[in-house]
């Protein structure tokens, strides 16, 4: 199984941390996020990973050079974009995507079973499958519901809404690449709707896996505390100790 890890973003919401180190290499305790992701993928049966790089690309090359044990677990290569082409557009530059493949952001903290997601996609014969998480969003205001004339129907004080949200993890079938023009900017939401409008089978795969979007410093802190407290939940048994990885 093949994975493509999107690692070229600037991570502006996590500035100033990301002004000195790219977001996927920020640490959870002593271990970079990307190190955890690669080990999880290898443990779930993925044998090759391609990193799409842009911002601070040299940092990732140093990271891989310092961790030769990662390349003993799986084949790891990378491509560098001269100009950003988006979360979907960059896939046009990745070679040899001739079987279903996983695509994910490089800064995800989760205990998702990637192999189960891959199998579900293949069993359903879909063009695209999106891993979905139920996210509760608390609104710290009174929400007004009215009719068309503005008459109050209901007043809900500080409600909590639940939404199905993308986890930033997807399985593509190779035929999707026919709809990604090379060298042009294309983000994932636009591609997903393009496929839907063309009548192609786009699925969601709902999961109760732990998942955090590491978009803000508070999210990174929460993920770090959770990883340190429940390390065995996230860390595959094949993983090396940080000291060994750095040696």
């Amino acid at each position: 199984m093949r994975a493509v890890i999107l690692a070229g973003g600037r991570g502006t919401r996590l500035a100033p941390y990301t002004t000195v180190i790219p977001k996927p290499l920020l640490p959870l305790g002593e271990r970079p996020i990307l190190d955890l992701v690669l080990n999880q993928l290898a443990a779930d049966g993925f044998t090759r990973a391609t990193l799409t790089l842009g911002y601070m690309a040299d940092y990732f090359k140093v990271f891989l050079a310092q961790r030769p044990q990662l390349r003993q677990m799986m084949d790891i290569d990378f491509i560098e974009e001269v100009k950003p082409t988006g979360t979907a557009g960059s896939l046009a530059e990745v070679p040899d995507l001739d079987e279903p493949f996983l695509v994910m952001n490089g800064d995800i903290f989760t205990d998702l079973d990637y192999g189960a997601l891959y199998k579900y996609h293949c069993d359903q014969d879909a063009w695209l499958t999106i891993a979905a998480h139920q996210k509760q969003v608390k609104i710290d205001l009174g929400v007004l519901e009215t009719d068309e004339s503005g008459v109050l129907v209901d007043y809900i004080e500080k409600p909590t809404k639940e939404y199905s949200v993308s986890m930033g993890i997807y399985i593509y079938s190779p035929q999707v690449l026919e709809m990604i023009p090379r060298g042009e900017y294309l983000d994932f939401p636009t591609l997903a709707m393009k496929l839907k409008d063309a009548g192609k089978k786009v699925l969601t795969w709902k999961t109760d896996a732990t998942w955090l979007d590491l978009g803000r410093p508070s999210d990174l802190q929460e993920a770090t505390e959770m990883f340190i407290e429940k390390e065995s939940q996230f860390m595959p048994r094949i993983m090396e100790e940080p000291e060994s990885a750095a040696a």
Side-chain angles (χ1 to χ4, degrees):
M1 296 189 291
R2 175 91 176 271
V4 178
I5 301 175
L6 308 177
R10 303 185 71 88
T12 53
R13 290 185 299 161
L14 269 176
Y17 303 122
T18 48
T19 60
V20 293
I21 187 170
K23 189 175 174 183
L25 297 184
L26 289 173
L28 297 173
E30 298 181 1
R31 189 178 299 278
I33 299 167
L34 182 59
D35 187 83
L36 175 63
V37 168
L38 289 170
N39 275 276
Q40 289 175 328
L41 288 170
D44 284 347
F46 287 81
T47 57
R48 182 179 177 185
T50 298
L51 308 182
T52 64
L53 305 179
Y55 179 63
M56 292 186 174
D58 288 344
Y59 282 62
F60 292 93
K61 298 173 187 177
V62 172
F63 163 79
L64 292 174
Q66 291 179 338
R67 288 166 172 77
Q69 78 282 355
L70 289 175
R71 282 181 157 150
Q72 293 172 4
M73 295 188 301
M74 65 195 311
D75 293 328
I76 302 174
D77 53 23
F78 57 85
I79 63 164
E80 289 188 66
E81 287 192 282
V82 177
K83 67 174 184 177
T85 54
T87 49
S90 61
L91 298 177
E93 303 298 325
V94 181
D96 307 323
L97 295 176
D98 49 10
E99 297 287 342
F101 57 96
L102 179 144
V103 178
M104 65 180 293
N105 298 334
D107 56 359
I108 290 175
F109 180 67
T110 184
D111 60 357
L112 176 75
D113 186 335
Y114 296 102
L117 170 62
Y118 187 94
K119 183 178 185 303
Y120 173 82
H121 171 87
C122 294
D123 289 346
Q124 297 297 317
D125 195 29
W127 278 53
L128 179 66
T129 301
I130 306 169
H133 179 78
Q134 293 302 115
K135 178 74 171 179
Q136 290 190 337
V137 179
K138 183 174 177 57
I139 301 174
D140 293 326
L141 299 167
V143 175
L144 302 176
E145 294 184 357
T146 66
D147 64 16
E148 293 182 359
S149 64
V151 174
L152 183 67
V153 174
D154 199 0
Y155 189 116
I156 308 170
E157 181 66 17
K158 298 181 180 179
T160 297
K161 302 288 186 178
E162 187 168 88
Y163 300 94
S164 182
V165 301
S166 170
M167 297 173 68
I169 305 169
Y170 325 101
I171 304 293
Y172 285 69
S173 288
Q175 58 265 33
V176 176
L177 297 172
E178 300 169 6
M179 304 183 73
I180 303 177
R182 190 167 187 174
E184 297 182 18
Y185 184 89
L186 182 65
D187 61 26
F188 179 80
T190 301
L191 173 63
M193 295 306 296
K194 184 178 178 181
L195 290 169
K196 191 271 296 183
D197 292 342
K200 307 305 180 183
K201 191 174 183 180
V202 178
L203 299 177
T204 61
W205 187 69
K206 296 181 179 179
T207 174
D208 59 0
T210 299
W211 172 79
L212 287 176
D213 172 29
L214 305 182
R216 300 166 299 180
S218 59
D219 300 321
L220 183 63
Q221 180 63 33
E222 182 180 356
T224 299
E225 293 172 357
M226 189 180 300
F227 180 68
I228 292 173
E229 180 183 354
K230 302 177 180 180
E231 187 173 313
S232 61
Q233 177 180 333
F234 299 94
M235 189 174 72
R237 284 178 293 175
I238 63 172
M239 292 179 73
E240 300 286 344
E241 292 300 315
E243 293 80 8
S244 299

